[in-house]
Amino acid sequence: MAYLEKENMGQAAADEWTAERILSRARELAPVLRQRAAEIEQNRHLPADVVELLRGTGVFRMAMPKSWGGPELDSMQQTEVIEALAIGDASAGWCGMIGADSGIYSGYLREETAREMFPRLDMITAGWIHPEGRAERVAGGYRVTGNWRFGSGSTHCDWLAAGCAVYQDGEPVLAENGKPEWRIMYARPDEYQIRDTWHTTGLAGSGSRDYAAVDLFVPEERSFSFREPRREGPLHIAPDAILRKMSGVPLGVARAAIDHVRELAASRFDRVTQLPWPQSYRIQTALAQSEMELHAARSGVFASLERQWEKLSAGQPLSTGERVSAALARHHAFGTARAIVARLFDTVGGAAIYRASSPLDRWLRDTNTMCQHAVAQDMILQTCGELMLGGQPDNPFL
């Protein structure tokens, strides 16, 4: 790839890392990821050289602030980059999406700490931030104990985050909302016990292993709360910034599936009618319906992101409708992608079941697995409905 021959894995000048060039590199890498997809899946985590190929696109630095020389892509641009990578491989796109959180999380840390933790702009963060662990306040920081699941990218990250409820002297510390204080703890991956639990239906290459800690000391400065941003801007005003680019993964997989079946059509004949696929009503309808659904889902995602970004950039609070629209568009993108892949899997028929010759089998398993994430569950519908009816739901995935 031309950009890897020209540049030394992410060490190009800041003006090389524009949104357009990062997206171009992601698109250039996608065919390579497609070729490596079976290997990535069998490996059950990203091979080291694939991690470096991703790093070379700029995906891991794309949310880093301009004040540091980073590109600071907006949420729409970030989603496009993840979408491009997911067209190549869902697990690689998923890991790119998770690893890019470094730039967002750094905005909740003290400046000097963030600079120390991220001396390079393309360092990788991973981890489950929901408060599954316990952090006991002690002099200078916290003693952390817990078990966390879904550590996507934990096999190649530089920092592994862990969500905790805070305790002091054995008692929970309550936040202003009366709930236990929620803080994110940062430690090196080798400070945790990472467990090889990731034997899954789909997204197998994401290496989303379980990890645990017992009485791990985390300095105060390496923890943060989403209620206390230390950097201004739309990536830090609202804690849902880490969720906004997630839709890129299902959108990319659905795009890949549609394009794949269109390519197949050039050389296939309908078994019953003996019509060439381009002349088959069945194929024509399945492709058109899939394209229609993807267009609608993608338009909903980007329209809601653009409106959200516009309001936050102007320093205005999001309305109930804007919060609901973003969450529902994300939920819809995941479900739509799964429906599209399932339809095209059925359309292709028996040939789709062979892993060696058809990526549809993997895409079907990948979309089924990603739809088990909290953002794609019906809990989001209930939460949005509660918000629409005047409630104040306590859901971090909204």
Side-chain angles (χ1 to χ4, degrees), residues 261 265 275-291 347:
V261 175
L275 281 174
W277 271 17
Q279 299 175 28
S280 168
Y281 176 87
R282 182 177 68 90
I283 304 300
Q284 293 166 350
T285 302
L287 280 171
Q289 185 172 356
S290 298
E291 189 70 41
T347 298

Side-chain angles (χ1 to χ4, degrees), residues 79-121:
T79 303
E80 284 187 297
V81 172
I82 300 305
E83 180 183 38
L85 294 173
I87 288 173
D89 180 66
S91 290
W94 193 269
C95 287
M97 178 265 295
I98 296 290
D101 287 337
S102 296
I104 297 173
Y105 290 158
S106 68
Y108 291 90
L109 299 165
R110 296 173 184 170
E111 180 74 7
E112 61 273 20
T113 300
R115 290 278 196 169
E116 177 187 336
M117 290 177 61
F118 298 101
R120 303 189 317 276
L121 298 184

Side-chain angles (χ1 to χ4, degrees), residues 118-352:
F118 298 101
R120 303 189 317 276
L121 298 184
D122 53 12
M123 294 178 71
I124 302 168
T125 287
W128 181 248
I129 62 170
H130 199 262
E132 300 292 337
R134 174 175 176 144
E136 184 78 26
R137 279 183 180 170
V138 295
Y142 302 88
R143 290 287 177 183
V144 174
T145 299
N147 294 276
W148 299 268
R149 296 184 297 164
F150 310 123
S152 302
S154 58
T155 56
H156 61 257
C157 67
D158 297 291
W159 291 101
L160 188 52
C164 291
V166 177
Y167 285 73
Q168 185 165 9
D169 299 326
E171 297 294 328
V173 176
L174 301 182
E176 294 177 359
N177 61 3
K179 303 284 186 179
E181 182 180 343
W182 171 27
R183 291 188 74 81
I184 314 302
M185 305 289 157
Y186 256 134
R188 296 287 187 182
D190 61 7
E191 296 182 85
Y192 297 93
Q193 297 87 52
I194 299 179
R195 299 165 177 165
D196 187 6
T197 54
W198 195 242
H199 298 269
T200 59
T201 298
L203 291 181
S206 65
S208 305
R209 298 178 178 181
D210 292 6
Y211 56 107
V214 178
D215 203 30
L216 169 65
F217 177 71
V218 175
E220 171 71 34
E221 61 270 21
R222 288 187 181 174
S223 73
F224 68 87
S225 167
F226 283 119
R227 296 182 294 105
E228 301 168 352
R230 298 177 183 272
R231 190 181 295 150
E232 296 181 351
L235 289 179
H236 311 286
I237 293 173
D240 76 325
I242 63 172
L243 306 178
R244 297 177 201 157
K245 61 189 180 303
M246 289 188 71
S247 299
V249 182
L251 293 176
V253 174
R255 177 75 273 156
I258 293 172
D259 291 347
H260 172 70
V261 175
R262 289 184 69 182
E263 291 170 5
L264 282 181
S267 58
R268 295 294 181 92
F269 290 81
D270 191 277
R271 180 178 299 175
V272 176
T273 66
Q274 290 301 299
L275 281 174
W277 271 17
Q279 299 175 28
S280 168
Y281 176 87
R282 182 177 68 90
I283 304 300
Q284 293 166 350
T285 302
L287 280 171
Q289 185 172 356
S290 298
E291 189 70 41
M292 174 183 67
E293 292 175 358
L294 178 57
H295 176 75
R298 191 176 190 276
S299 296
V301 166
F302 281 92
S304 64
L305 287 177
E306 288 167 4
R307 180 57 178 162
Q308 186 182 51
W309 191 267
E310 178 184 276
K311 289 288 292 290
L312 294 176
S313 296
Q316 300 172 8
L318 297 178
S319 68
T320 294
E322 286 154 354
R323 292 178 64 195
V324 166
S325 292
L328 292 181
R330 186 163 49 241
H331 180 280
H332 186 237
F334 278 82
T336 298
R338 177 165 61 178
I340 288 171
V341 172
R343 177 186 301 114
L344 295 177
F345 185 92
D346 290 344
T347 298
V348 170

Side-chain angles (χ1 to χ4, degrees), residues 10-12 17 22 58-64 69-72 100 121-122:
Q11 301 304 311
W17 300 106
I22 292 173
V59 62
F60 297 129
R61 69 171 59 209
M62 66 180 179
M64 284 294 184
E72 199 171 342
L121 298 184
D122 53 12

